[in-house]
Amino acid sequence: MSVTTSMHAQSVAASDATTARIMQRLGALAADSMEGRRAGTAGSVRARAWIVAELTAMGAKSIGSSYAMPITLRARAGSDTSGANIVARIPGKNSSGPVLVLSAHYDHLGVRNGEIFNGADDDASGCVALLTIAERLLREPPEHDVILAFFDAEESGMVGSKAFVNAPPVPIERIALNINLDMVARQDGKALWVSGTSHTPSLKPIAEVAAKTSAVTIRFGHDTKDLKPGDDWTGSSDHAAFHSKGIPFLYLGVEDHADYHKSGDDADKVDPAFYRGTVEFAYALVRAADAKLSTVMRQAK
Ligand SMILES: [Zn+2]
């Protein structure tokens, strides 16, 4: 075996281990035992404990005494009125400057008529991507602080992200950018969309740097008012809360698919190679944005 062959074999083996780890985590967070992770339920509490255990094991810091930042949920039959965002911090080399908030939501739709809605794509996929990226940032620190936000109650009106921007863990002026991942695993549309550059054009060249090395097709758009209702994704997920405060955002997501908000949104419908590709793109995007974070300008609101 030549040296080249053996090095190639090694890198393939390493990449397979990474893909396997991503899929294993996706299976865990989207397991039936999480009961669909609906805000205010026992399944939600279990999902939260799982995320906290992952963050603890990798050594991510909490902001304050706990990762959990409690939020108030609207009263609903059979569920608790309190929930929690899970928030962690990856210290940057310069911890006093602008901050990047990397987000995904861990809640989903729960159990309906005896069917568990596992929400593997929506949005266990974003949460697992955050964990993977966080591990790498801890090994190789970013220039700026990166805050990881695992939001609760996105599915019931983006309650978690609204609470976060109304009582942010750092002064809101320091939040230069939100990168929000919601539905990044499903290969049906054969592409990952980057949305938000029409609102903040200076972000486009940054995202294009990351797109250059992407194994999955990256498309830009879904962020202009001329589109038909539903096709402008500006208000579609937790990035909307940041946008409402004038904070630039990049949203990563796939087109709706046959299992969107259905009980069939399971981990075994995910093509591991595609999902691995979107996680790698998200990581490259975080690195590219971190490098240019001081040039990203807030909008006047
Ligand atoms: Zn979602």
Side-chain angles (χ1 to χ4, degrees), residues 6-263:
S6 109
M7 280 178 65
H8 177 70
Q10 261 176 26
S11 79
V12 168
S15 83
D16 283 351
T18 304
T19 305
R21 183 86 179 99
I22 289 169
M23 291 305 293
Q24 186 222 337
R25 279 178 162 152
L26 186 70
L29 189 53
D32 285 353
S33 60
M34 300 292 183
E35 296 173 331
R37 308 186 302 279
R38 186 176 175 188
T41 66
S44 162
V45 172
R46 230 169 279 139
R48 211 182 293 163
W50 183 86
I51 293 168
V52 165
E54 293 281 321
L55 291 170
T56 306
M58 73 177 71
K61 308 245 183 303
S62 61
I63 303 176
S65 58
S66 163
Y67 293 118
M69 297 181 64
I71 61 165
T72 305
L73 304 172
R74 223 173 299 133
R76 209 171 48 197
S79 66
D80 202 343
T81 51
S82 70
N85 295 327
I86 302 298
V87 179
R89 184 173 80 95
I90 313 283
K93 292 178 205 156
N94 169 8
S95 270
S96 61
V99 168
L100 191 163
V101 175
L102 183 60
S103 61
H105 71 90
Y106 71 87
D107 71 300
H108 193 54
L109 301 171
V111 182
R112 295 175 175 182
N113 302 321
E115 281 193 301
I116 305 171
F117 287 61
N118 285 321
D121 187 40
D122 186 9
D123 182 27
S125 69
C127 294
V128 169
L130 255 60
L131 292 172
T132 309
I133 293 166
E135 276 175 332
R136 295 182 186 181
L137 294 177
L138 284 164
R139 280 200 298 268
E140 218 180 304
E143 295 299 319
H144 309 87
D145 276 13
V146 174
I147 291 176
L148 306 170
F150 299 85
F151 290 128
D152 197 358
E154 190 271 352
E155 303 285 10
S156 35
M158 302 173 207
V159 181
S161 52
K162 286 175 186 166
F164 181 93
V165 299
N166 284 326
V170 296
I172 197 150
E173 300 75 33
R174 287 189 59 202
I175 302 177
L177 176 66
N178 169 231
I179 298 181
N180 183 42
L181 280 61
D182 190 357
M183 298 173 56
V184 297
R186 282 290 287 253
Q187 63 284 356
D188 309 50
K190 299 185 167 62
L192 181 71
W193 287 83
V194 175
S195 193
T197 60
S198 86
H199 298 290
T200 315
S202 64
L203 291 172
K204 192 154 188 202
I206 293 172
E208 279 170 340
V209 167
K212 243 179 249 167
T213 56
S214 176
V216 297
T217 303
I218 303 299
R219 295 198 201 291
F220 291 87
H222 282 299
D223 53 8
T224 50
K225 289 204 169 77
D226 58 303
L227 297 167
K228 68 176 188 324
D231 280 356
D232 178 2
W233 293 348
T234 301
S236 73
S237 177
D238 292 312
H239 52 275
F242 293 85
H243 182 60
S244 77
K245 299 287 184 187
I247 299 167
F249 73 88
L250 290 172
Y251 162 57
L252 309 188
V254 297
E255 295 274 4
D256 287 357
H257 46 78
D259 291 307
Y260 171 72
H261 280 202
K262 300 252 165 62
S263 61

